[in-house]
Amino acid sequence: MAEEKKQAEAAEATQAKVQAPVQDPQEFLENFNWTKYEQGIEQVDDAKLQEFETLVAENFVDTVNEEVVTGTVVFITDREAIIDINAKSEGVISLNEFRYNPDLKVGDKVEVLIDIREDKSGQLVLSHRKARTIMAWDRVNAAHDKEEIVNGFVKCRTKGGMIVDVFGIEAFLPGSQIDVKPIRDYDQYVGKTMEFKVVKINHEFKNVVVSHKALIEADIEEQKKEIIGQLEKGQVLEGVVKNITSYGVFIDLGGVDGLIHITDLSWSRINHPNEVVELDQKLNVVILDFDDNKSRIQLGLKQLEKHPWEALSDEIKIGDKVKGKVVVIADYGAFIEVAEGVEGLIHVSEMSWSTHLRSAQDFVKVGDEVEAVVLTMDRDDRKMSLGIKQMTPDPWTDITTKYPVGSKHNGIVRNFTNFGVFVELEEGIDGLIYISDLSWTKKIKHPSEFVTVGDKLDVEVLELDVEGRKLSLGHKQTTTNPWDKYETEFALDTVHKGTIADVVDKGATIDFNEDIQAFVPTRHLEKEDGSKLGKGDSADFKIIEFNKEFKRVVASHTAIFKAEEQRIVKAAVKKAAAAADEAKPTLGDANEALQALKDKMEASANKKK
């Protein structure tokens, strides 16, 4: 068939040559266009040539480098898209530049940048990515100036926010601008297309910042005005837990935020709001109060439930035993939750029969389950006082039997003051030992010199006041008073060997033993030769004063040799008196002397005559 077709075409050509008119050679040579013949161009009519030039001007673009034009996708291969821009040749663009648009198809209009009019192989080089970037900046600036909403593709997460593709430009979405509520999981937004508002453009560094929150806030502001206008105290609304702090919970009421203080979350005591609610939880709340412009709204959760005191059984009365858990401890006592939202106070004085000062921490700790007796109850004021010491018998009930006056016991030192020591004989039974009843011999200025807290001490009951619940004890009474023995041993005028222990004001001291310390006045330190005894000197001393009640002993060294002198003097005086008595004239001797004198006087008178 192909061979027959060729033969037919050859025959037609031969016939055409035969039938063509014969042209005059001279005329042909005169009209022949030798220029077109030399250039190898066939003859074209000038009118048709003009028509062709007009079509070129109307349809073909001037392919200037770095120019953005619109092209049409005419073919798509596995790797490339063929783009017709009405140039003398078609351009090729890698499909990688269209990854953002997986639905690209033949016939789509796309913006391209004429990168190179003709490369080494004569191919027109185009770039869709560069064209998008140039056009994107124009669009972004226009969107910013007109405050238009733009669509963006969240590409990935970055430090402090997200990267969003807007018109082919990588814009930054700060974490704080994603939503009006705090975002905990940024990854949930990656790969999503969202609406944004261009909020900032840095032309110098080509940076763009967008916000999704701005769009939400605009909608919320409208809702907020509507909601605020309808708010009333006591109104119950549904809200969502927006944020949890140590002092309360912020609730989103649909564009308006309100605060539930921690004390308004539950009738029971709680340590942190997360014990009651959790983030994003939906719940009903009641409006408790708000300021004049309704910008600060106080909400309540527990107010939606009946007060626990109103639900408390009417059967509970004073004297009943109740069980509860310790929820709060203070120095003055502990609060016990006997029912949800119902608490009673156990004062520290009601925790033990003991009267000496102690704190509540000595008896209970938070979380303890305790049983107590209801002491007072006021349902109107919602107050209740409890006691746990009442769970055991009062130890003072049979005090006279257990601790009669004169009985001896062993106790523990619990505390002391400047004037004495408190000793606990048993739980609830404390007695006081005055400082003067601690020792027979030691002069104690403060009880801490004699005992420490926690020491065990033997005591004797000295006085008992049942009505006043007071017990007077003594420690020294449990031992023999050594001063009874010393009263005889160191009696007046007894002489003892001693050494001057210390020189003090107006005298010196001597330690005769561990109990007896005697005082020697300065004038009694004088020795027989006139000098005085000093610290460390040993000598004999005479007791010149002994007072058992005040434990006062006064001694003297001088009195020893002074007494000897007085004895000698007294003996000499006595001897002299005796000698004088022997030499004294009798009455007869006197008469004889007088008679002799008279005779002598008479004889003298006779001679004168």
Side-chain angles (χ1 to χ4, degrees):
M1 293 294 293
E3 185 65 29
E4 292 177 357
K5 186 177 181 181
K6 288 181 180 180
Q7 292 177 358
E9 288 176 353
E12 289 178 358
T14 303
Q15 184 178 1
K17 290 180 181 181
V18 173
Q19 293 178 354
V22 178
Q23 187 176 5
D24 184 13
Q26 184 64 36
E27 183 182 356
F28 174 78
L29 292 174
E30 290 177 358
N31 295 327
F32 187 77
N33 190 330
W34 293 98
T35 303
K36 292 182 179 181
Y37 173 76
E38 292 175 354
Q39 294 179 356
I41 302 174
E42 294 186 1
Q43 180 72 24
V44 179
D45 186 67
D46 290 339
K48 291 185 178 181
L49 183 61
Q50 183 62 39
E51 182 183 357
F52 176 77
E53 290 177 353
T54 302
L55 291 173
V56 170
E58 291 177 355
N59 295 283
F60 282 79
V61 298
D62 185 10
T63 55
V64 179
N65 290 355
E66 301 296 330
E67 181 182 0
V68 176
V69 297
T70 302
T72 304
V73 179
V74 295
F75 190 74
I76 298 177
T77 67
D78 292 339
R79 296 183 178 181
E80 298 171 329
I82 310 301
I83 310 296
D84 180 12
I85 62 170
N86 287 331
K88 67 177 183 179
S89 62
E90 296 170 341
V92 178
I93 300 178
S94 172
L95 288 180
N96 287 335
E97 297 193 21
F98 295 96
R99 282 185 298 178
Y100 74 95
N101 184 11
D103 298 326
L104 183 70
K105 62 184 180 299
V106 174
D108 285 353
K109 299 291 185 181
V110 294
E111 294 165 340
V112 295
L113 176 73
I114 301 174
D115 210 359
I116 302 175
R117 285 184 295 178
E118 191 174 306
D119 61 7
K120 294 179 179 179
S121 61
Q123 179 67 53
L124 178 64
V125 179
L126 304 178
S127 174
H128 178 61
R129 183 184 295 111
K130 292 181 179 180
R132 287 189 71 213
T133 302
I134 293 174
M135 298 300 295
W137 272 104
D138 294 338
R139 293 180 184 177
V140 167
N141 280 279
H144 178 261
D145 296 339
K146 297 178 182 179
E147 296 186 354
E148 295 178 346
I149 298 175
V150 299
N151 287 328
F153 177 77
V154 181
K155 297 178 64 176
C156 62
R157 179 178 176 179
T158 187
K159 183 178 181 182
M162 316 287 288
I163 298 298
V164 180
D165 186 323
V166 178
F167 302 138
I169 294 177
E170 289 190 348
F172 178 59
L173 172 63
S176 60
Q177 296 299 314
I178 298 176
D179 205 335
V180 291
K181 60 184 180 181
I183 301 300
R184 295 177 294 278
D185 182 15
Y186 283 43
D187 294 333
Q188 63 179 312
Y189 295 95
V190 176
K192 291 185 177 180
T193 299
M194 303 168 61
E195 291 184 336
F196 300 98
K197 184 177 180 181
V198 180
V199 295
K200 185 178 180 182
I201 297 178
N202 187 317
H203 294 280
E204 181 180 359
F205 297 101
K206 300 292 184 181
N207 290 337
V208 178
V209 179
V210 295
S211 171
H212 181 67
K213 176 182 177 182
L215 301 178
I216 300 176
E217 288 178 335
D219 295 337
I220 289 177
E221 191 62 31
E222 294 297 325
Q223 298 176 17
K224 187 174 181 181
K225 291 179 181 178
E226 183 179 352
I227 293 173
I228 287 179
Q230 300 175 357
L231 290 182
E232 294 180 2
K233 292 182 181 179
Q235 184 179 7
V236 178
L237 300 173
E238 184 182 61
V240 178
V241 177
K242 180 178 180 180
N243 192 20
I244 300 176
T245 67
S246 60
Y247 55 85
V249 178
F250 287 93
I251 304 296
D252 182 1
L253 301 175
V256 180
D257 289 347
L259 172 66
I260 306 177
H261 195 269
I262 187 172
T263 56
D264 291 316
L265 282 170
S266 172
W267 291 113
S268 301
R269 289 181 185 262
I270 58 175
N271 297 317
H272 197 278
N274 57 21
E275 299 176 17
V276 180
V277 298
E278 58 185 21
L279 286 172
D280 301 326
Q281 178 182 350
K282 289 185 178 181
L283 43 78
N284 290 329
V285 293
V286 60
I287 298 177
L288 302 181
D289 199 2
F290 44 74
D291 56 8
D292 294 336
N293 57 10
K294 299 181 181 179
S295 60
R296 302 183 67 179
I297 305 172
Q298 182 180 346
L299 305 174
L301 181 64
K302 71 180 185 181
Q303 288 78 5
L304 296 175
E305 300 177 357
K306 189 176 182 180
H307 196 287
W309 270 91
E310 298 175 5
L312 188 66
S313 173
D314 294 333
E315 297 179 357
I316 298 179
K317 58 185 182 299
I318 294 176
D320 288 349
K321 295 179 181 179
V322 294
K323 292 183 179 181
K325 183 172 67 174
V326 179
V327 290
V328 175
I329 293 181
D331 289 336
Y332 57 85
F335 289 92
I336 312 299
E337 187 176 53
V338 297
E340 185 176 358
V342 178
E343 296 177 1
L345 172 65
I346 304 179
H347 193 271
V348 67
S349 62
E350 302 298 339
M351 292 183 173
S352 170
W353 292 108
S354 178
T355 56
H356 61 81
L357 296 178
R358 296 168 75 177
S359 64
Q361 290 89 337
D362 295 332
F363 300 96
V364 294
K365 62 181 182 293
V366 174
D368 284 353
E369 295 284 346
V370 299
E371 187 175 13
V373 175
V374 179
L375 303 181
T376 64
M377 177 181 286
D378 189 335
R379 291 182 180 269
D380 294 332
D381 290 339
R382 295 168 178 169
K383 291 182 179 180
M384 180 191 302
S385 63
L386 308 172
I388 55 176
K389 73 180 184 182
Q390 289 78 6
M391 299 296 296
T392 58
D394 185 353
W396 280 83
T397 303
D398 57 348
I399 189 72
T400 54
T401 303
K402 296 172 66 176
Y403 301 101
V405 175
S407 60
K408 291 181 173 60
H409 309 276
N410 186 269
I412 299 175
V413 176
R414 291 299 185 189
N415 194 13
F416 46 71
T417 64
N418 291 333
F419 55 83
V421 178
F422 288 98
V423 177
E424 183 182 60
L425 300 181
E426 66 173 82
E427 180 70 24
I429 303 296
D430 296 337
L432 173 64
I433 303 176
Y434 282 98
I435 195 169
S436 58
D437 289 320
L438 287 173
S439 174
W440 290 111
T441 58
K442 294 182 180 179
K443 294 181 180 180
I444 302 171
K445 295 181 180 180
H446 192 274
S448 59
E449 300 173 6
F450 188 80
V451 293
T452 58
V453 174
D455 287 351
K456 290 186 176 181
L457 209 62
D458 291 329
V459 296
E460 180 178 321
V461 178
L462 303 181
E463 296 180 14
L464 179 59
D465 182 358
V466 178
E467 185 176 350
R469 302 173 77 93
K470 292 181 180 180
L471 196 62
S472 179
L473 306 174
H475 171 65
K476 70 180 185 181
Q477 288 80 3
T478 60
T479 61
T480 303
N481 187 353
W483 285 87
D484 292 338
K485 178 183 68 173
Y486 296 148
E487 188 175 21
T488 302
E489 184 180 346
F490 293 91
L492 288 176
D493 294 332
T494 57
V495 177
H496 304 272
K497 188 75 173 180
T499 301
I500 302 295
D502 196 10
V503 176
V504 297
D505 188 28
K506 297 182 181 181
T509 58
I510 304 170
D511 294 326
F512 287 124
N513 57 37
E514 61 180 8
D515 296 326
I516 301 295
Q517 185 181 70
F519 175 70
V520 183
T522 301
R523 59 190 178 87
H524 289 276
L525 291 172
E526 185 177 347
K527 295 191 290 187
E528 191 172 3
D529 59 4
S531 61
K532 290 188 176 181
L533 293 170
K535 184 176 180 179
D537 291 342
S538 297
D540 290 331
F541 295 90
K542 179 184 287 188
I543 305 301
I544 58 177
E545 182 181 348
F546 184 90
N547 190 314
K548 182 175 72 172
E549 181 178 357
F550 295 102
K551 302 178 180 61
R552 176 180 171 84
V553 178
V554 180
S556 171
H557 172 69
T558 305
I560 292 178
F561 65 83
K562 287 288 186 183
E564 183 65 23
E565 289 179 357
Q566 290 178 1
R567 185 185 64 78
I568 295 172
V569 169
K570 286 181 180 180
V573 170
K574 186 176 182 181
K575 185 176 180 181
D581 289 341
E582 292 178 359
K584 185 183 295 185
T586 63
L587 182 59
D589 294 337
N591 290 334
E592 289 180 358
L594 290 174
Q595 186 61 45
L597 181 59
K598 182 179 178 182
D599 292 341
K600 187 176 180 179
M601 291 177 63
E602 288 178 352
S604 178
N606 291 329
K607 285 182 179 182
K608 290 180 178 181
K609 293 178 177 181

